[in-house]
Amino acid sequence: MADHYDENDEEVVSLPGVDTDGERTENIDDGRIRRPSEFFVRTTSDDIDEQEHARREYFNKVVGEAENEALQAAEGLGPNAENSLLYRIWSRVNHESEEAVAGIVEKKVEYVELFFDLIFVYSLRTINALFHAYEHSFPPMSAIQTFLFLTAVVMQVWMFTTMFFNRYGRKALRDYISIFINMYLLYYMASGSNHHWLDHYIRYHGAWALIMLNLAYRSWDKLRFAPHLDDIDRRILGANVVHHLIECGIILVSIPVHETTGVVLSPLALIYGYVAKASEFRAYKARPCDFPHLAERNLLLVILTFGEMIIGIASFFEAGKNVLLNIISFLIVIGMFLSYGFFNDNVLDHHRKTSGLGFLAIHVIMILAINSTTIALELLARPLVPLLPKTMWMTSMLLVYYLCLLATERYAKEHLRTNRFKFIGFVLSILAAYLCLMLLAGHNQLVGAFITLVFVYGIFALLLHIHHSSLRKMKVGGYIS
């Protein structure tokens, strides 16, 4: 095809077989049929800015899909056939918008980030050890509060680190050194994360303060030396520096206060960190995160947390334990994991434009719920611990977990969001029925375990049903591989 410029410096593209009004003329031009690939336009030039480049890339993408459709038709397959490659691609992206595909290069999760996430397995394991001493009684409220606080601190460190590296992390030596320093400091924090954590106050809080200082320094370093930063980036990085330094200051001040008065001020630092991050929502919304990278990081941490749950149910398999209970406990863990895995693979819109704050906040609570369910399962395996409180803890944490899964529905693909209210209604109904049944029959451990099993797989079956119903409405058959 030929192109030239008119007097307004606008590019004029003439397509063979199409006149100037866009009406189709003859299919044959200079004696041959044009293939769609001949309609590709150039995407780079001195006179093509970034926005125009994205627009042209999207145009070429549409042309490529049209050529694929033509090839399918030549093979005797209509574009709407269930085994049509083009149609399966279309159903995979689900009305993918121009903005979502125009020249965006997804950030991949690096092996260093995976290595960093491993420290959280150790951290969660040491925090869970708070409850090892309660073989004959239900843990007191002080132990539960300590458990919630220590887990929230670890999750905040992970959240802040993930948010920074999602937007500004690079394959750079300084970034790697920062991760390794935080890993080393997290070991110090984890070694003091036990029932007597206040006896290690200086050790624990000193490491926590240094982590915040390290994160503040990395934001300052990016702000000072990174190229191509705009006003939004500078606002985000500047706020990171200020907020991390203030949180670090509160943590450091809490050390002498605790040493002299016994008052624990560090929860104020924890609350300040979460509130300060939420206060920057507008800036983060104006600079959307790399959502595929963020979703993968969250998936990996969820997998690691479920790995800790697998370890937690080992006590069900000791000699003399009811074989039905260890089978049911294993199936419950598998069902919970399958629900999240299916949602992540088939329901979650991995190309969604979002600040990432809400998605991370949901997962902070979800990880807390999964880890708490692990504790509940460990307590259920101890016959001398009173049944009612541990059963209610199990029930409450499962409700929180599935409410978090329900909350992530706002990040679902477009064709599944059409069933949003039906999905929410079904899930809430199942949650309410589960709670009532556990209150009525949960005093019997085997019956309560069976009710929980039915509940977990009922939610999973609902996810499958709604997903496949949506695919049938789009006339797409079976799984999308």
Side-chain angles (χ1 to χ4, degrees):
M1 79 183 174
D3 57 324
H4 61 279
Y5 293 87
D6 61 14
E7 59 183 4
N8 296 322
D9 293 330
E10 294 182 353
E11 184 177 7
V12 179
V13 180
S14 58
L15 301 180
V18 180
D19 62 18
T20 57
D21 295 326
E23 298 294 332
R24 180 169 294 279
T25 58
E26 295 295 327
N27 287 333
I28 298 181
D29 180 52
D30 65 15
R32 61 188 177 90
I33 298 177
R34 297 288 184 180
R35 292 176 59 84
S37 60
E38 299 183 51
F39 297 160
F40 285 130
V41 298
R42 57 187 176 84
T43 60
T44 57
S45 178
D46 293 339
D47 58 335
I48 296 178
D49 58 19
E50 184 177 352
Q51 183 177 5
E52 179 64 19
H53 170 79
R55 185 178 296 110
R56 288 166 180 254
E57 285 285 342
Y58 184 72
F59 175 80
N60 286 342
K61 175 180 180 292
V62 174
V63 171
E65 290 178 345
E67 182 171 25
N68 195 14
E69 180 179 341
L71 291 174
Q72 292 287 340
E75 296 173 0
L77 298 175
N80 292 331
E82 291 184 358
N83 57 347
S84 166
L85 176 62
L86 177 63
Y87 200 80
R88 289 166 69 84
I89 292 175
W90 174 85
S91 61
R92 173 64 113 170
V93 299
N94 297 312
H95 305 292
E96 195 175 48
S97 65
E98 176 181 347
E99 293 78 12
V101 298
I104 296 178
V105 179
E106 295 179 3
K107 180 181 177 68
K108 301 299 182 182
V109 175
E110 298 183 29
Y111 63 89
V112 175
E113 294 177 272
L114 301 179
F115 190 55
F116 175 71
D117 286 349
L118 292 177
I119 187 62
F120 291 94
V121 179
Y122 174 66
S123 298
L124 294 178
R125 182 74 263 179
T126 55
I127 293 172
N128 292 353
L130 283 165
F131 302 99
H132 287 175
Y134 300 100
E135 296 287 344
H136 305 88
S137 62
F138 188 76
M141 184 56 65
S142 60
I144 296 175
Q145 290 174 346
T146 300
F147 166 78
L148 295 176
F149 171 75
L150 296 177
T151 305
V153 170
V154 169
M155 288 307 303
Q156 187 183 86
V157 171
W158 181 87
M159 176 181 175
F160 289 174
T161 305
T162 300
M163 292 186 70
F164 174 82
F165 280 92
N166 177 263
R167 286 177 168 81
Y168 305 109
R170 299 292 181 267
K171 291 183 178 180
L173 180 60
R174 284 180 291 185
D175 286 346
Y176 288 175
I177 291 175
S178 174
I179 285 181
F180 294 144
I181 290 175
N182 277 1
M183 286 184 67
Y184 180 78
L185 294 171
L186 278 167
Y187 267 112
Y188 266 89
M189 293 179 66
S191 63
S193 301
N194 52 49
H195 187 67
H196 304 287
W197 74 285
L198 291 178
D199 296 336
H200 310 285
Y201 198 94
I202 298 177
R203 178 189 184 98
Y204 183 90
H205 290 77
W208 183 11
L210 287 174
I211 289 175
M212 290 296 110
L213 187 62
N214 184 26
L215 291 174
Y217 167 74
R218 290 306 304 131
S219 293
W220 175 86
D221 181 71
K222 293 290 181 181
L223 184 62
R224 178 67 177 81
F225 298 107
H228 311 303
L229 295 178
D230 58 17
D231 291 339
I232 300 175
D233 289 322
R234 294 184 182 279
R235 176 181 170 184
I236 291 174
L237 291 170
N240 284 348
V241 174
V242 173
H243 295 320
H244 292 336
L245 287 178
I246 292 176
E247 183 170 355
C248 175
I250 297 173
I251 297 168
L252 291 176
V253 168
S254 74
I255 295 176
V257 171
H258 178 263
E259 291 297 307
T260 56
T261 67
V263 177
V264 180
L265 292 179
S266 52
L268 295 178
L270 178 69
I271 295 172
Y272 174 83
Y274 281 119
V275 172
K277 190 63 67 176
S279 68
E280 292 298 317
F281 172 75
R282 289 190 177 182
Y284 282 105
K285 185 178 181 180
R287 173 70 69 247
C289 68
D290 189 322
F291 194 62
H293 173 267
L294 189 69
E296 188 174 358
R297 285 297 304 275
N298 281 274
L299 171 64
L300 292 171
L301 188 61
V302 168
I303 291 174
L304 291 175
T305 311
F306 272 112
E308 171 62 21
M309 186 181 289
I310 288 293
I311 298 173
I313 66 172
S315 53
F316 280 101
F317 292 80
E318 296 173 354
K321 293 295 179 66
N322 190 323
V323 66
L324 287 178
L325 286 178
N326 64 52
I327 292 175
I328 291 175
S329 64
F330 180 74
L331 291 176
I332 287 173
V333 176
I334 297 301
M336 292 176 64
F337 174 74
L338 287 177
S339 293
Y340 184 88
F342 181 84
F343 189 94
N344 182 83
D345 285 346
N346 298 279
V347 181
L348 188 67
D349 182 2
H350 289 264
H351 295 282
R352 186 178 180 85
K353 285 195 172 184
T354 174
S355 67
L357 283 175
F359 192 73
L360 279 170
I362 291 170
H363 277 77
V364 167
I365 301 173
M366 181 182 289
I367 294 297
L368 184 61
I370 296 173
N371 204 35
S372 299
T373 304
T374 300
I375 301 301
L377 287 169
E378 291 183 1
L379 293 175
L380 283 168
R382 302 170 188 171
L384 298 179
V385 178
L387 183 61
L388 181 60
K390 61 186 181 183
T391 301
M392 288 299 100
W393 189 357
M394 176 77 175
T395 303
S396 301
M397 291 303 104
L398 281 175
L399 292 176
V400 173
Y401 171 73
Y402 282 105
L403 286 174
C404 288
L405 193 63
L406 185 63
T408 56
E409 190 272 342
R410 62 173 297 188
Y411 301 97
K413 295 174 183 177
E414 181 180 346
H415 73 276
L416 291 174
R417 290 201 298 271
T418 59
N419 292 315
R420 182 174 189 177
F421 296 106
K422 180 189 292 186
F423 175 70
I424 293 174
F426 279 140
V427 172
L428 290 178
S429 299
I430 294 175
L431 291 176
Y434 172 66
L435 180 60
C436 292
L437 287 173
M438 289 299 288
L439 289 173
L440 291 173
H443 59 275
N444 184 305
Q445 186 172 12
L446 190 58
V447 174
F450 183 75
I451 293 173
T452 301
L453 181 66
V454 173
F455 161 71
V456 168
Y457 281 90
I459 294 287
F460 182 49
L462 178 63
L463 283 172
L464 290 173
H465 172 72
I466 292 180
H467 176 71
H468 287 295
S469 295
S470 300
L471 293 184
R472 284 195 297 271
K473 289 180 181 179
M474 295 195 309
K475 299 180 180 180
V476 180
Y479 261 126
I480 298 177
S481 61

